Amino acid sequence: MKIKAYDSVVIGSGPGGEGAAMKLAKSGRRVAIVEMHDQVGGGCTHWGTIPSKALRHSIQMLVDYKRNPLFGHTMDQVNLDYPQLLKAADEVIQRQVSTRYRYYSRNRVDVVYGHARFIDANTLEITGGEKKQERLQAESMVIATGSSPYRPSDVDFSHPRVLDSDTVLELKHTPKSLTIYGAGVIGCEYASIFCNLDVKVNLVNTRGHLLSFLDTEITDALSYHLRHQGVVIRNNEEYARVEALDDGVVLHCKSGKKFKTDLLLWANGRAGNTRDLGLEVIGVELNHRGQIKVDKAYRTTLENIYAVGDVVGAPGLASASYDQGRFVAAQIADGQSDWSLDRKSVV
C-alpha cells in the first residue's frame, strides 16, 4: 500500500479544518486535508451555517416583498414554498465550494477524499476515495470532523415526519404545523424561518428562557419578535416520548402536555463526528456525546494530535472554529501562538 508523507494532516474541511490547513500551508508546511464527502466545505457549507443563512435570507426577502405596499397588487402571483426557497441555498453552496477549492489549490494543499481512520498516532488509513485505500503519515494531526445532530435512541428518526437539522434540508413540502424541540441557535433560527412561511410553530424550550448564554435584553427581544410572528414558545418543558403517527407527530412532555403537529424538528444538542476514526484504539479520550476532550491549547491526550471546532463541543460557531484551527496551526508551525485568549473567549 502506498504511503504519502506530510508535515501535517487535517481531517475535515469545515471552518476549523480550513483555518488550520491555510495557516499551516502559509507557514511552509506540507499539508493534506482529508474530506469524507465528495465536496469540500464540511457540515458548515452543506448542512449548517451556509444553507440555513441562505434560506433565512431568501425568506426575509420574501417577507419584505410582501410587506411593501408597492407590491400589494401582485401578492396573488407570489406563491413560493419551502423546496423552492431551498434552491437558492443550493446555488450559494456551490459558490462556496468553488471558492474553497481555489483556496486549497492556490496554497498547494492536497485534498484527499475518503474516510480517515487512525492506525497509530502518526498514520491514517484512508478508505473509500478514488484510490480506494491509501495511507498518510504526518508529524502532527488536526481533527476537525465537526458534529451531527444528537439523536436519542428512543426517537424514531427513520419516520418521515421526524426531522433533524440535516434532514430538514431535504423536506419536499411546506408543512402546515411544526413542533421544534430545542430552542438553541438552530431551533430559534428554524422557528423564524418557518413562521414566516405561515407555518404554525411550537418552539419547545427545555430552559426558562431562550439562548441563556446571551444578554437578557437580547433574548427578551428575540422572544418578543418570535411571538409577534406567531411562534408559540413553550419554556421549561422536557420530552417524555415522541409518538410518530401517519397523520402527524405527538410530542409528549413530562409536564403532561402534548403537542401534535405535522412534523417534529429535533434540535436538541449535537454529537461529535468521531465514529470509526479509531480514536479509542490510539487512546484519544471522548465524552458521552463523542466529543473529543482537549486542553486549553486544543491538544488531545496525545501530544501530536489536536482537535478543533464542533467536534470538541461549545461554542459550535463557524467563526470560532476557524480561529481555533488557526490557533492550533500556529502552535504546530511555530511552537507557540500569539493568541492569548482562552477557549471561552473565542466566542
Side-chain angles (χ1 to χ4, degrees):
M1 184 185 302
K2 186 177 180 180
I3 299 178
K4 297 186 70 174
Y6 294 91
D7 294 323
S8 301
V9 173
V10 180
I11 309 172
S13 64
E18 181 182 310
M22 291 298 103
K23 175 63 176 177
L24 287 165
K26 291 178 185 298
S27 300
R29 297 180 70 87
R30 293 170 298 154
V31 183
I33 192 163
V34 182
E35 174 55 56
M36 70 176 295
H37 300 287
D38 58 359
Q39 291 185 322
V40 297
C44 171
T45 299
H46 296 280
W47 306 283
T49 303
I50 299 302
S52 67
K53 301 304 179 291
L55 179 62
R56 190 179 66 183
H57 178 68
S58 296
I59 291 175
Q60 186 60 54
M61 292 179 66
L62 177 63
V63 170
D64 291 343
Y65 178 84
K66 289 182 176 181
R67 290 176 179 172
N68 193 319
L70 291 174
F71 307 114
H73 64 286
T74 66
M75 285 300 98
D76 57 341
Q77 302 173 23
V78 180
N79 188 23
L80 295 176
D81 59 13
Y82 180 74
Q84 288 175 306
L85 291 167
L86 281 176
K87 290 181 180 179
D90 290 339
E91 295 176 3
V92 175
I93 290 169
Q94 291 309 310
R95 289 200 296 270
Q96 289 284 321
V97 170
S98 297
T99 299
R100 276 153 178 77
Y101 275 129
R102 291 197 298 271
Y103 290 163
Y104 295 126
S105 176
R106 186 167 61 219
N107 289 279
R108 295 180 175 84
V109 175
D110 288 349
V111 180
V112 180
Y113 293 98
H115 178 80
R117 182 178 177 82
F118 281 92
I119 301 302
D120 57 49
N122 298 97
T123 308
L124 289 173
E125 184 174 81
I126 313 299
T127 57
E130 292 181 358
K131 298 181 180 179
K132 301 301 180 184
Q133 192 171 28
E134 59 182 318
R135 288 192 177 183
L136 308 179
Q137 286 187 336
E139 298 172 4
S140 58
M141 304 280 188
V142 181
I143 303 170
T145 49
S147 64
S148 299
Y150 176 64
R151 291 185 165 190
S153 57
D154 59 342
V155 179
D156 182 13
F157 286 93
S158 65
H159 197 283
R161 293 184 179 272
V162 180
L163 309 172
D164 59 28
S165 58
D166 286 353
T167 56
V168 72
L169 295 171
E170 302 170 2
L171 188 61
K172 303 300 183 184
H173 69 285
T174 305
K176 292 183 179 179
S177 58
L178 172 71
T179 294
I180 301 175
Y181 183 73
V185 173
I186 294 174
C188 290
E189 185 169 48
Y190 277 103
S192 68
I193 287 172
F194 279 101
C195 74
N196 281 304
L197 288 175
D198 297 325
V199 177
K200 179 181 177 181
V201 177
N202 288 316
L203 181 59
V204 180
N205 185 17
T206 59
R207 300 184 179 184
H209 58 276
L210 302 180
L211 305 181
S212 57
F213 59 89
L214 296 176
D215 291 342
T216 303
E217 290 182 7
I218 297 174
T219 58
D220 287 347
L222 175 62
S223 298
Y224 169 79
H225 286 293
L226 285 175
R227 288 191 173 103
H228 181 70
Q229 293 169 344
V231 176
V232 179
I233 302 174
R234 316 278 188 170
N235 290 322
N236 294 312
E237 295 287 354
E238 188 175 351
Y239 90 103
R241 64 187 179 94
V242 173
E243 183 182 8
L245 307 170
D246 291 339
D247 62 343
V249 182
V250 182
L251 179 69
H252 297 260
C253 294
K254 291 183 178 179
S255 64
K257 295 178 182 177
K258 302 177 184 179
F259 309 116
K260 183 178 180 181
T261 48
D262 287 349
L263 301 175
L264 170 70
L265 172 57
W266 190 272
N268 191 41
R270 309 281 294 179
N273 291 333
T274 51
R275 185 177 179 182
D276 295 330
L277 278 178
L279 297 178
E280 299 88 343
V281 175
I282 62 173
V284 172
E285 292 186 23
L286 309 173
N287 66 16
H288 69 287
R289 287 206 174 188
Q291 297 164 336
I292 299 174
K293 295 182 179 180
V294 294
D295 61 18
K296 288 186 177 181
Y298 298 95
R299 186 181 287 109
T300 69
T301 45
L302 298 183
E303 285 290 316
N304 71 311
I305 300 180
Y306 297 80
V308 297
D310 288 14
V311 76
V312 303
L317 300 173
S319 56
S321 298
Y322 196 93
D323 278 348
Q324 290 168 14
R326 292 177 62 249
F327 171 65
V328 162
Q331 291 184 92
I332 294 171
D334 307 328
Q336 60 182 0
S337 174
D338 58 2
W339 190 20
S340 61
L341 305 180
D342 63 17
R343 282 188 60 196
K344 294 181 181 179
S345 301
V346 298
V347 181

